[in-house]
Amino acid sequence: MSTIASRKISRTLSTLAVAALSVFGSSAMADTELQPQSRPWGIYAGGNLGVGAAQWDCDVSCDRARLSGKVFGGKRLTPGLAAELNYMIFGGMNRANGTAQSMATNIATERRSTRVLTAGINWEVELLEGFTNQIRVGWALKRVENEQVLVGGAERTVRDYRQAPYVGVGLAMNISRNIRLLQSFDYIIDGQESLYLFSVGASAEF
């Protein structure tokens, strides 16, 4: 085979190789571009369990703390700021009135169960790698169900709705990219009807 023919064959093979590589490269790039990119939605949800307390004026005796908890969810507006909803459930708390208080209110004993829905913002500040401080501010709608035993022995249930400011603080620890452990304190500011919730839990982000 002549030298000229060999060179032509070599050039042809080189051209085909370059063309093949270009085709494969373009195909790979197209596949990469067409693949769906994982984009976080910025939505999170979770739940906490702990101790709920009421700021009651006790007469003869009363329960100031009960097993309570909350579920919550939020949507991130920025990486450090989110709009958030909380639904809190405070366990039933009992109170017994003395003679003077019973005569004044006509209530001998009562048991209160409270549900609270809050809407507000959650502001997060990273303290250390993997640890984030949370500050919550918002407004709360309370539903108080009061089962009362009157002085004469009759029973009645009174349901009351109230509104109040709400604040909360917490500490979050990342245990994976999307899972966090939480420690929280929530406070419904309503004078002698104020409520506290100390709780721990977890959340997941999507």
Side-chain angles (χ1 to χ4, degrees):
M1 183 179 293
S2 68
T3 304
I4 296 175
S6 298
R7 287 177 181 175
K8 286 183 179 180
I9 293 173
S10 297
R11 287 176 183 174
T12 302
L13 291 175
S14 299
T15 303
L16 291 174
V18 170
L21 288 173
S22 299
V23 170
F24 286 129
S26 300
S27 177
M29 289 178 64
D31 287 342
T32 302
E33 291 176 356
L34 291 175
Q35 286 177 356
Q37 300 298 315
S38 58
R39 297 178 181 269
W41 297 346
I43 297 174
Y44 61 88
N48 282 26
L49 190 65
V51 177
Q55 189 172 322
W56 279 18
D57 280 333
C58 283
D59 191 9
V60 174
S61 65
C62 68
D63 297 328
R64 290 189 178 225
R66 274 288 184 266
L67 181 66
S68 305
K70 70 173 183 176
V71 292
F72 59 88
K75 174 68 173 72
R76 296 202 180 279
L77 308 176
T78 70
L81 190 68
E84 187 176 278
L85 294 174
N86 290 267
Y87 183 68
M88 305 178 190
I89 301 174
F90 290 85
M93 301 178 190
N94 301 308
R95 177 166 66 177
N97 294 325
T99 303
Q101 185 72 7
S102 296
M103 295 302 294
T105 61
N106 195 35
I107 300 172
T109 64
E110 56 186 312
R111 177 180 177 84
R112 292 189 186 184
S113 299
T114 306
R115 306 287 185 268
V116 180
L117 177 65
T118 72
I121 60 171
N122 178 20
W123 179 39
E124 297 188 344
V125 180
E126 187 173 5
L127 302 177
L128 300 169
E129 186 176 357
F131 290 87
T132 305
N133 186 39
Q134 299 177 331
I135 301 173
R136 297 181 175 87
V137 179
W139 199 253
L141 174 63
K142 297 168 56 181
R143 190 196 75 172
V144 182
E145 190 165 290
N146 197 344
E147 300 174 5
Q148 301 173 347
V149 177
L150 305 181
V151 173
E155 298 181 3
R156 70 180 181 186
T157 299
V158 178
R159 184 171 293 172
D160 184 26
Y161 293 89
R162 302 172 63 95
Q163 297 184 46
Y166 155 73
V167 296
V169 294
L171 181 66
M173 181 182 72
N174 295 338
I175 60 174
S176 72
R177 182 178 178 183
N178 298 318
I179 304 296
R180 288 176 161 188
L181 296 181
L182 305 171
Q183 205 171 25
S184 300
F185 168 71
D186 300 290
Y187 180 30
I188 312 299
I189 309 169
D190 194 15
Q192 294 299 325
E193 303 295 327
S194 296
L195 294 165
Y196 310 86
L197 177 61
F198 304 85
S199 61
V200 295
S203 69
E205 187 158 347
F206 309 94

